[in-house]
Amino acid sequence: MSELYNNIEPNVIDDEMLQKAIEEQRPEHIGKLAKRTGINFKDVTELELSFRNILQIDNLWQFENLTKLQLNNNIIEKIEALESLVHLVWLDLSFNNIEVIEGLDTLVKLQDLTLFNNRISKIEHMDTLQELQIFSIGKNNLTTLKDVIYLRRFKKLRTLNLRGNPLCDDEEYMLFVVAHLPDLVYLDYKRVSDTTREVAVLKYQDLIEPLEREEAQALAQLEEELAKQKELEYHKAAFVEYLNGSFLFDSMYAEDTEAAKLVYLPGVDDLQQAYRKEFVSVCEDLFNYGLKEHEKREAEVSDFYESLREALTANQQEGRKLILDFENRNKRRLYEIRNASSYDIAESKRAESKEDILQLSDALMTLEMLTADQLEELIGDFKGNIAVIASTFIENVKGMITQCRDLENRHHEELLEISITTLEKSVKNELDEDLPADVQMLLVDKNTIVNAVNTSHGIHLLKIDKRESDILSNTYRWQTSVTEKAIQNEINRNRERVGEIIQYIDNLQEELDNLRDLGDDGVGLTQAGQLP
């Protein structure tokens, strides 16, 4: 902690401090209202906690919609507890005692970051801040110009302040920074001139070109990795990830210590390679089938929601027409009530309006009931179609997995035959080649070699069973999820729509009742009435 604050009692960020800060930064009348009614921290988008002797960042998790945060001029020693502020765009941590840049990984929307006047000696741990446009880290302990190279990853960075760091004393400082950050517009509060930029580029050309090549290679590698990850996610959505190759086959042998020994028996390596070829071929057939079925599933879901939108659009249009016709009538009738020449006439018009409101309510509710019935039928058909798609997929998957089992069973029988034949030759000393010691241990008797072959076979079948189980489980989960979502969405929609109708009708009735109260208070209807 700096000497300046040695005699100052550190504060913690508690609810009292937060409430006070919010009240102070709002207009006076809003602040008073907030003080009486309470403040929902989720509604706060800007928060100033400057000059409050804060030692530790804490208790900000409730401000999930915060976009601007000021924590400058405190005694903060560590950047922490900001991970929930994912919408933050502007962050000021200047004039504190921070030594390390950290704790910013989730702030991916951050555009303006101020760390001016701290104790930072290295620019690091900012990789996720790809939206960064303004960065102030002046008056810290940065000593090497190479720190600037780290900032090349921020393609949107236009304003940088490094003034007051030891590295600024280097006579090459200005040109080095401008050369390595070619898109920089402002450096240390001054606009970078075209002349400075040209001189910088020329001076450091030999350093920048290899750097650019390295960055291009790194970017290409990153894009390739992202493409692979995106492709894998698509395969997972189709429930056939890692089936477009030998992954399942290789996994069967990865933990099979017995197979690693048995492969040394005469003829087993050729047998295993032939088995591998056929097994992988079935896996690839399953993979391609899975991708096609995924497209079919996606198309079915898309068609369903398109039909849903069409039905709801027709409902909304008819509902709007009912309401528009009513409001045109109601507007005239309310005007007639307000300007009625007698109480009896006003009452008669009011009764007509009340009856019209009731008829509108019945019409809207009837329309909603018909819509709900129509959507229920659509959802029923959708549920049936999904069940057929899922069951067809499952049956075909089972068939292909059965092919894998059949191949494994056949391989097991052939391997067992080779193993017993090898045992017999071993007993008679007729083997043409020497075998490793651990393989010879399998040939001590028939039970030993048979147990080894059976153990290997069991491991392979378990792997095949597990892969089948995963595919079927994922399919069942998808079927349940997609149908339950459609049903629940309709329940929510219907409930919300009925609530809207009731609220609208209540508002109409309240408006009509207010006219009665106006008349009962003795105010002349004609004098009180005006066209809305």
Side-chain angles (χ1 to χ4, degrees):
M1 196 179 299
S2 65
E3 295 180 4
L4 178 63
Y5 293 102
N6 278 346
N7 298 319
I8 297 177
E9 185 69 24
N11 284 332
V12 296
I13 303 177
D14 55 19
D15 285 350
E16 182 180 354
M17 178 188 289
L18 295 171
Q19 292 275 359
K20 183 177 180 182
I22 295 169
E23 291 167 10
E24 289 175 352
Q25 72 186 37
R26 293 185 174 187
E28 184 177 352
H29 66 288
I30 296 178
K32 290 180 180 178
L33 178 62
K35 195 170 183 178
R36 290 197 306 269
T37 61
I39 300 169
N40 187 347
F41 290 163
K42 291 182 179 180
D43 296 333
V44 178
T45 58
E46 297 185 7
L47 182 61
E48 181 180 351
L49 295 172
S50 310
F51 296 98
R52 297 178 189 270
N53 304 325
I54 296 169
L55 176 63
Q56 183 177 4
I57 304 172
D58 197 9
N59 206 28
L60 296 177
W61 59 270
Q62 301 174 80
F63 294 86
E64 57 188 52
N65 291 309
L66 206 62
T67 59
K68 181 177 181 180
L69 175 61
Q70 292 175 255
L71 285 165
N72 54 292
N73 290 280
N74 287 291
I75 49 177
I76 296 167
E77 297 180 343
K78 184 178 181 179
I79 305 174
E80 58 186 338
L82 298 176
E83 58 273 1
S84 62
L85 309 184
V86 295
H87 297 292
L88 213 57
V89 174
W90 197 97
L91 175 61
D92 187 352
L93 286 164
S94 58
F95 295 95
N96 280 288
N97 299 320
I98 298 166
E99 296 184 358
V100 177
I101 301 176
E102 58 187 336
L104 302 173
D105 292 350
T106 63
L107 309 186
V108 296
K109 295 183 179 180
L110 203 62
Q111 297 178 9
D112 190 325
L113 174 60
T114 302
L115 295 170
F116 185 83
N117 203 325
N118 278 281
R119 301 174 178 179
I120 298 166
S121 57
K122 185 178 182 180
I123 302 176
E124 59 185 344
H125 304 147
M126 296 169 57
D127 294 30
T128 60
L129 310 186
Q130 292 302 308
E131 297 299 316
L132 194 64
Q133 299 176 18
I134 301 171
F135 183 39
S136 176
I137 192 170
K139 206 170 182 183
N140 276 274
N141 298 328
L142 302 176
T143 58
T144 173
L145 286 174
K146 289 185 177 179
D147 262 347
V148 174
I149 298 175
Y150 179 88
L151 298 176
R152 285 177 61 85
R153 69 196 65 209
F154 306 115
K155 304 305 180 183
K156 297 182 180 181
L157 185 64
R158 297 294 180 269
T159 301
L160 175 65
N161 174 32
L162 293 165
R163 180 182 292 179
N165 282 288
L167 61 79
C168 296
D169 297 334
D170 192 308
E171 62 181 13
E172 301 295 334
Y173 162 70
M174 172 76 73
L175 295 180
F176 185 92
V177 174
V178 173
H180 284 82
L181 303 176
D183 295 321
L184 208 60
V185 178
Y186 294 96
L187 175 61
D188 298 339
Y189 311 110
K190 294 181 180 179
R191 188 176 184 88
V192 178
S193 68
D194 292 339
T195 301
T196 300
R197 201 181 306 278
E198 290 171 3
V199 172
V201 169
L202 188 61
K203 181 177 180 61
Y204 287 96
Q205 184 175 357
D206 292 341
L207 290 177
I208 298 298
E209 287 181 353
L211 195 60
E212 289 177 342
R213 284 195 296 271
E214 289 177 12
E215 290 172 346
Q217 290 174 356
L219 179 60
Q221 184 177 353
L222 176 61
E223 290 175 347
E224 183 179 355
E225 290 173 357
L226 291 174
K228 287 180 179 178
Q229 184 60 36
K230 184 178 180 180
E231 184 179 51
L232 177 58
E233 292 302 320
Y234 183 75
H235 296 168
K236 286 181 177 179
F239 316 138
V240 291
E241 68 275 14
Y242 300 120
L243 287 176
N244 55 331
S246 62
F247 179 85
L248 178 56
F249 185 88
D250 294 340
S251 72
M252 288 161 48
Y253 283 85
E255 301 170 7
D256 187 354
T257 56
E258 300 298 342
K261 301 172 188 176
L262 293 168
V263 75
Y264 285 97
L265 299 181
V268 171
D269 185 50
D270 291 340
L271 177 68
Q272 188 170 306
Q273 291 305 316
Y275 171 38
R276 182 182 190 276
K277 183 177 180 181
E278 290 184 276
F279 191 95
V280 171
S281 177
V282 174
C283 288
E284 290 178 342
D285 288 343
L286 176 53
F287 173 79
N288 292 325
Y289 172 70
L291 293 186
K292 290 179 181 178
E293 286 299 297
H294 175 62
E295 292 176 1
K296 188 184 295 183
R297 291 194 296 269
E298 292 291 289
E300 180 63 35
V301 173
S302 177
D303 290 345
F304 164 70
Y305 280 105
E306 181 59 32
S307 298
L308 213 61
R309 280 190 292 271
E310 290 176 359
L312 289 174
T313 299
N315 166 272
Q316 290 166 358
Q317 290 174 346
E318 190 169 350
R320 277 196 291 268
K321 184 177 184 303
L322 287 171
I323 291 172
L324 183 60
D325 291 343
F326 166 82
E327 289 188 344
N328 287 334
R329 295 192 305 272
N330 194 49
K331 185 177 181 180
R332 292 193 301 270
R333 192 175 289 117
L334 291 179
Y335 177 78
E336 290 171 353
I337 293 172
R338 292 190 184 100
N339 292 277
S341 57
S342 69
Y343 179 81
D344 289 342
I345 293 175
E347 279 297 293
S348 175
K349 294 295 182 182
R350 191 179 290 113
E352 291 177 9
S353 185
K354 184 176 182 179
E355 179 62 27
D356 205 5
I357 291 173
L358 291 175
Q359 290 179 3
L360 175 64
S361 177
D362 289 343
L364 291 175
M365 285 297 187
T366 299
L367 178 60
E368 173 54 26
M369 183 177 67
L370 292 172
T371 301
D373 289 343
Q374 182 183 0
L375 297 187
E376 184 179 358
E377 184 177 347
L378 276 175
I379 292 172
D381 292 342
F382 175 63
K383 189 175 181 181
N385 293 342
I386 291 297
V388 171
I389 289 174
S391 63
T392 301
F393 178 66
I394 286 169
E395 288 305 311
N396 288 329
V397 166
K398 286 181 177 179
M400 293 183 180
I401 293 294
T402 297
Q403 292 180 45
C404 291
R405 285 197 193 91
D406 290 343
L407 289 172
E408 168 59 29
N409 289 332
R410 191 183 74 189
H411 174 73
H412 169 64
E413 292 171 1
E414 293 174 346
L415 178 59
L416 190 58
E417 183 179 345
I418 289 176
S419 300
I420 293 174
T421 300
T422 304
L423 173 63
E424 293 171 349
K425 288 183 178 181
S426 175
V427 171
K428 297 176 183 179
N429 292 319
E430 295 178 354
L431 290 178
D432 296 330
E433 56 186 279
D434 293 332
L435 299 173
D438 57 346
V439 178
Q440 292 180 20
M441 293 296 294
L442 298 178
L443 301 174
V444 294
D445 55 48
K446 185 175 181 180
N447 284 339
T448 302
I449 191 68
V450 170
N451 286 339
V453 174
N454 287 341
T455 299
S456 176
H457 181 49
I459 291 172
H460 298 177
L461 289 178
L462 283 174
K463 289 288 185 178
I464 295 171
D465 291 346
K466 177 65 166 57
R467 194 66 182 91
E468 179 185 45
S469 176
D470 288 345
I471 296 175
L472 300 190
S473 296
N474 288 332
T475 305
Y476 289 132
R477 275 196 293 269
W478 169 81
Q479 180 183 357
T480 300
S481 173
V482 77
T483 53
E484 286 186 352
K485 180 182 178 182
I487 293 170
Q488 190 58 51
N489 284 350
E490 170 51 19
I491 290 172
N492 295 340
R493 185 210 64 80
N494 176 253
R495 185 182 294 128
E496 183 179 341
R497 180 56 178 163
V498 169
E500 289 174 351
I501 293 172
I502 291 173
Q503 183 63 51
Y504 177 63
I505 296 300
D506 286 347
N507 290 342
L508 292 174
Q509 189 61 53
E510 183 179 357
E511 183 181 22
L512 187 62
D513 291 343
N514 287 340
L515 285 181
R516 180 187 294 276
D517 294 340
L518 184 64
D520 291 344
D521 288 342
V523 180
L525 289 171
T526 303
Q527 289 79 6
Q530 290 185 12
L531 273 171

